Amino acid sequence: MITFAFEPRAEDVFWSPEWRPVNPDRPEHPELTGADFSMSCFLADVRLGVHGVDLSLRTPGLPVADFALMLEYARTELETRSDIAVELSVTQHVFSLSRGSDAVTLTTNYAPGAAELTWAELWQLTDRAKAEAFRLITTAHPELRDNAWLRETVGAPPTA
C-alpha cells in the first residue's frame, strides 16, 4: 500500500487567502513563474509511505510543485535508464530509483531502508503528486487555475 499527502506549512504565507498571487518584485511581469512555484511558493511537508517504508519528508521549505515535478522527471528518465538519482531544487534531498524487471526500488538520502513499488504504482504516485499539488494550490488561490505555467506543467485535471 502506498500512502501520500502534502501537508502545507502553516507558516508559509503563500497558502493564506489574504496573499495575492503575484510577484511584486517584478512589476513588469507580476505573474508567478515556474521558478516561483519550484523554488519558493507553496511549501509543504510530504507524507509518503511505500509498502511499510516511511519516506516522509518534513522540512521548512519544500515546494509542492517541485516535489511533483521531481517525481515525474524521475519516472520519465527511468523508462530509458536502469537507475537515476534526482534532487529536490531547494532542499537537496535525493531520491534514487532503480528499475528492475518487475519493480522499481526507491531510496533516499534522508531515510533508511529501501521501498519497492511496481511501475503502475510509480505512475499512480506521480500522477497523484501532480494532481494534489495543483489541487492544493488552486484551492488556496482559485485564480491560479489561469496561470499558464502551473496549468501546463503541473497540470489541470481534464475538463469535462
Side-chain angles (χ1 to χ4, degrees), residues 68-139:
L69 294 175
M70 178 273 305
L71 275 179
E72 180 179 54
Y73 175 77
R75 180 191 75 195
T76 302
E77 287 296 308
L78 203 55
E79 290 175 5
T80 59
R81 298 168 57 173
S82 60
D83 56 64
I84 186 166
V86 289
E87 184 177 84
L88 291 163
S89 298
V90 175
T91 65
Q92 285 76 49
H93 289 94
V94 176
F95 283 69
S96 299
L97 294 95
S98 299
R99 176 171 47 105
S101 58
D102 296 330
V104 175
T105 302
L106 171 60
T107 59
T108 70
N109 67 343
Y110 63 86
E116 286 204 2
L117 60 164
T118 66
W119 273 103
E121 290 171 328
L122 180 59
W123 274 87
Q124 291 169 352
L125 175 60
T126 302
D127 291 345
R128 187 170 170 193
K130 286 179 65 178
E132 185 64 2
F134 187 84
R135 185 192 70 76
L136 284 171
I137 291 168
T138 59
T139 297

Side-chain angles (χ1 to χ4, degrees), residues 32-93:
L32 294 178
T33 66
D36 295 324
F37 285 108
S38 296
M39 301 295 284
S40 60
C41 298
F42 302 103
L43 307 178
D45 292 330
V46 175
R47 184 173 290 176
L48 176 60
V50 179
H51 302 294
V53 178
D54 186 9
L55 300 173
S56 297
L57 182 56
R58 286 161 183 65
T59 175
L62 178 62
V64 295
D66 186 44
F67 184 85
L69 294 175
M70 178 273 305
L71 275 179
E72 180 179 54
Y73 175 77
R75 180 191 75 195
T76 302
E77 287 296 308
L78 203 55
E79 290 175 5
T80 59
R81 298 168 57 173
S82 60
D83 56 64
I84 186 166
V86 289
E87 184 177 84
L88 291 163
S89 298
V90 175
T91 65
Q92 285 76 49
H93 289 94

